[in-house]
Amino acid sequence: MSKLVVISNRTADPDESRSGGLAVALWSTLKQSGGTWIGWDGRVCSHDNPEMTCRRAEGVDFFTTELTGQEYKNFYIGYANSVLWPIFHNRTDLAEHDPEFKLSYERTIRRVASSCFMRISAGDVVWVHDYQMITCGTELRKKGIKNSIGFFLHIPFPPPELIRCIPDHAWLITSLLSYDLVGFQTEKDFQNFQKYILNYTDAELIGEKTFFFKGRKIRAGVFPIGIDTGEILQALESERSRELNERFRRERTGELIVGVDRLDYSKGLPQRIHSIREFFARCPDKKKAVSLLQIAAPSREKVTAYEKLSEEMNYLSGKINGDLGDMHWSPVSYVHRNVERDDLPVIYRNSRVGLVTPLCDGMNLVAKEYVASQDPDDPGVLILSEFAGAAHQLADALLVNPFDAGATARAIEKALNMPLEERKSRHTSLMRSILDHDVHWWCGEFLNSLKEQEIWMVA
């Protein structure tokens, strides 16, 4: 019997809660076919010969591997997060080009692909995820895998001019043509991909989003990822959430603006603090009546750019509080640690404004989670960056340019003063889009398209 095989940088942890868009959808789909999930377990070993370990949970086989110290340094911190991540997020200035990074990327993907090869049977459908694993398809094809293989890029695909900043970029991007189906978050991402493929490879466009390369047909598609709204509603009904909600109501004074992000330079966090400062300059009467709760979970702390960003955020949040706050009120509450995921819907529901202003983002599920957490009878207002992939679906949010502090400040003012009926109307429209394109829709759309590609190829 054929099964689904998922290959990603990280797998879900069978011992922990699986809440979260990708994990929820993939776990559910894998259970239907008795599937397999292969990836890194998040650990770094002290030797140079890590092996795959297997665990079975709820009918799903998890094959995980540790990384060696060199793989962690040069593959994960190096090529994946100091070359690909910044360039794919339009930050070529932050990329670090060390030849050892690429060599380690090749070796690590080759090792992982060898382990995957032994666990893929005839008829299995293989789904590879995200930028860390781009060349996995090529390595599987080299080993003779003829199965249907799909790839989904969760982050933006940048313009060809930026891709060309990557040394040996043709090797990297041409490897995407080893897949049968390549999925993107937005039409813009696909258009950037198509421009690169037609200008820098020998592939031909033979139909809508369909290419021919070295005897193979490859399709591309747009599949915007969604969220599990049921998970959010369930979290809001828990006893823990009810207690946290009551605490908010007892202790809260004034209106709350909330931002929830990983500490990452793509999220526009310093620009957000500047916008809050501009807002209080425009609306001095809102001092002591409004505050920002900015949660920034630690991320990739060994990457130099993240260390600098952490220092900058500490300075900016301290500066605005020192300049504008007093003993009884701070304009910004900056929380630099992880917050329980099940607590976030309550935090979202108790905030009047959701401030989601990345400088560049593949989708941004926080925007959708904020909307889904609202009380439909008294919803908050989503302010969303026009540079987030979610902006293509959530047009009834207040869309802003996060580089324009004044425009974002005006949007905050508008959101806080928005009449109830307008808030309800916008929320209804946003929820309709979120429900129609949830994470289960996304998963089904991609796999159905991959199956259609398989039938077409056989025919």
Side-chain angles (χ1 to χ4, degrees), residues 7 61 77 82 119 144 230 247 321 328-329 356 383:
I7 304 172
D61 289 321
I77 295 296
S82 297
R119 292 160 179 87
R247 182 178 173 184
N321 286 337
H328 306 288
W329 172 80
V356 183
I383 297 176

Side-chain angles (χ1 to χ4, degrees), residues 22 37 41 46 90 112 128 155 161 182 192 196 209 255 264 280 285 289 301 350 355 374 394 423 452 457:
L22 178 62
W37 199 341
D41 63 9
S46 57
N90 301 339
V112 172
V128 181
I155 65 175
E161 295 77 13
V182 181
N192 285 337
Y196 183 94
K209 292 184 171 67
E255 302 280 17
D264 191 285
F280 285 117
D285 58 306
E301 294 173 292
N350 280 276
L355 199 52
Q374 297 306 301
L394 306 181
R423 286 192 277 122
E452 290 171 5
M457 296 289 283

Side-chain angles (χ1 to χ4, degrees), residues 335-353:
V335 180
H336 180 39
R337 60 176 175 80
N338 289 301
V339 173
E340 288 289 337
R341 179 172 171 79
D342 285 347
D343 291 345
L344 292 176
V346 177
I347 296 171
Y348 294 145
R349 178 165 284 202
N350 280 276
S351 60
R352 178 55 66 206
V353 178

Side-chain angles (χ1 to χ4, degrees), residues 74-308:
N74 294 320
F75 158 72
Y76 180 71
I77 295 296
Y79 199 76
N81 290 307
S82 297
V83 178
L84 299 185
W85 180 271
I87 290 177
F88 277 57
H89 287 86
N90 301 339
R91 291 302 303 271
T92 57
D93 58 309
L94 296 180
E96 300 177 21
H97 300 292
D98 184 332
E100 183 57 34
F101 291 171
K102 176 178 177 288
L103 292 174
S104 182
Y105 185 86
E106 292 181 82
R107 288 193 296 263
T108 305
I109 295 298
R110 192 177 302 125
R111 176 175 74 81
V112 172
S114 295
S115 296
C116 294
F117 169 74
M118 295 184 289
R119 292 160 179 87
I120 297 172
S121 304
D124 289 349
V125 174
V126 182
W127 192 1
V128 181
H129 286 265
D130 223 5
Y131 66 103
Q132 303 97 334
M133 310 300 295
I134 284 176
T135 61
C136 188
T138 296
E139 295 301 326
L140 291 174
R141 296 297 187 203
K142 286 179 180 178
K143 293 183 176 298
I145 293 290
K146 300 186 184 302
N147 303 53
S148 292
I149 311 179
F151 176 85
F152 186 79
L153 183 67
H154 292 258
I155 65 175
F157 193 96
E161 295 77 13
L162 298 186
I163 288 288
R164 290 174 60 203
C165 295
I166 302 173
D168 204 3
H169 56 87
W171 158 80
L172 179 74
I173 305 304
T174 302
S175 68
L176 290 171
L177 298 175
S178 299
Y179 297 100
D180 297 295
L181 177 64
V182 181
F184 300 96
Q185 297 277 24
T186 69
E187 185 67 26
K188 179 182 177 183
D189 296 326
F190 164 73
Q191 291 295 335
N192 285 337
F193 169 74
Q194 178 171 274
K195 288 177 185 176
Y196 183 94
I197 294 301
L198 296 182
N199 285 289
Y200 299 103
T201 76
D202 295 328
E204 301 175 52
L205 183 66
I206 60 172
E208 184 179 4
K209 292 184 171 67
T210 306
F211 305 89
F212 185 79
F213 182 70
K214 293 186 177 180
R216 299 184 64 255
K217 291 180 180 179
I218 304 97
R219 277 189 61 207
V222 176
F223 307 91
I225 192 171
I227 63 170
D228 184 352
T229 55
E231 173 210 0
I232 290 174
L233 295 177
Q234 183 177 1
L236 285 167
E237 293 172 359
S238 70
E239 182 62 29
R240 177 187 176 96
S241 291
R242 284 194 289 268
E243 292 175 358
L244 182 59
N245 191 55
E246 284 302 314
R247 182 178 173 184
F248 262 105
R249 292 184 177 182
R250 287 195 311 268
E251 300 178 2
R252 184 182 61 189
T253 57
E255 302 280 17
L256 184 65
I257 302 168
V258 68
V260 176
D261 308 84
R262 286 186 307 103
L263 186 66
D264 191 285
Y265 47 76
S266 69
K267 302 302 182 181
L269 300 182
Q271 290 81 358
R272 197 173 300 172
I273 301 299
H274 294 318
S275 296
I276 291 294
R277 181 181 285 275
E278 181 69 21
F279 165 72
F280 285 117
R282 285 179 53 84
C283 306
D285 58 306
K286 294 295 186 180
K287 291 179 181 178
K288 301 187 180 181
V290 176
S291 61
L292 168 69
L293 169 60
Q294 177 59 59
I295 298 171
S299 175
R300 301 168 190 158
E301 294 173 292
K302 294 187 178 181
V303 178
T304 301
Y306 291 77
E307 294 177 354
K308 292 180 178 178

Side-chain angles (χ1 to χ4, degrees), residues 392-453:
H392 295 269
Q393 294 177 292
L394 306 181
D396 278 304
L398 296 183
L399 301 181
V400 298
N401 176 353
F403 295 98
D404 188 339
T408 305
R410 290 191 294 274
I412 294 171
E413 182 181 11
K414 179 177 180 179
L416 291 170
N417 293 325
M418 187 177 291
L420 175 61
E421 289 308 311
E422 183 179 353
R423 286 192 277 122
K424 291 169 67 174
S425 175
R426 287 176 181 270
H427 177 262
T428 298
S429 175
L430 294 171
M431 274 302 296
R432 187 179 303 115
S433 176
I434 290 169
L435 290 169
D436 287 347
H437 302 92
D438 67 3
V439 70
H440 302 288
W441 169 88
W442 166 77
C443 200
E445 278 290 298
F446 187 94
L447 291 175
N448 288 338
S449 295
L450 183 56
K451 185 177 181 180
E452 290 171 5
Q453 174 75 349

Side-chain angles (χ1 to χ4, degrees), residues 10-20 23-24 27 41 55 57-58 62 340 342:
R10 294 291 299 273
T11 70
D13 187 338
D15 292 329
E16 295 182 1
S17 169
R18 296 183 298 278
S19 57
V24 169
W27 190 291
D41 63 9
R55 295 188 59 190
E58 299 183 34
F62 288 85
E340 288 289 337
D342 285 347

